[in-house]
Amino acid sequence: QVERALAYEKSAEFKADMKLRPVVERVISVLVRYDGARRARRIGLDAADFQAKMCATVYNLKEWMRRVGRLNARCVQEHKIGVVCLEAI
């Protein structure tokens, strides 16, 4: 089993996986630090699963709003309008 792990560590697949690691770690860090994913607030797996899904939903909504805000700001600069411009999407 150790030999298999060492072989995986030298493979191209491992290198590809490690390139994704900073992105995943950043998301986990935000969830733990700011969105309440450090510990479950209720007892039971169903409650913990629900909380994890709600934390992920909050993260996705924040990310979506941040991207829409950037898009809206760019459209305001380019087209002098105050709504989301569909040309830039």
Side-chain angles (χ1 to χ4, degrees), residues 65-78:
M65 294 305 291
R66 193 167 50 105
R67 290 182 185 190
V68 167
R70 279 193 211 144
L71 179 63
N72 196 18
R74 190 171 67 212
C75 286
V76 167
Q77 277 184 331
E78 292 176 6

Side-chain angles (χ1 to χ4, degrees), residues 33-69:
R33 296 173 95 192
Y34 305 114
D35 293 334
R38 183 173 301 275
R39 66 185 58 161
R41 306 286 185 224
R42 302 281 185 259
I43 297 172
L45 288 177
D46 289 337
D49 182 54
F50 178 76
Q51 181 180 339
K53 288 176 181 173
M54 291 301 104
C55 288
T57 301
V58 167
Y59 176 83
N60 288 336
L61 286 172
K62 285 180 182 179
E63 186 69 22
W64 182 50
M65 294 305 291
R66 193 167 50 105
R67 290 182 185 190
V68 167

Side-chain angles (χ1 to χ4, degrees), residues 1-11:
Q1 202 169 11
V2 172
E3 291 95 14
R4 199 167 65 190
L6 290 173
Y8 171 69
E9 193 174 292
K10 294 177 183 174
S11 70

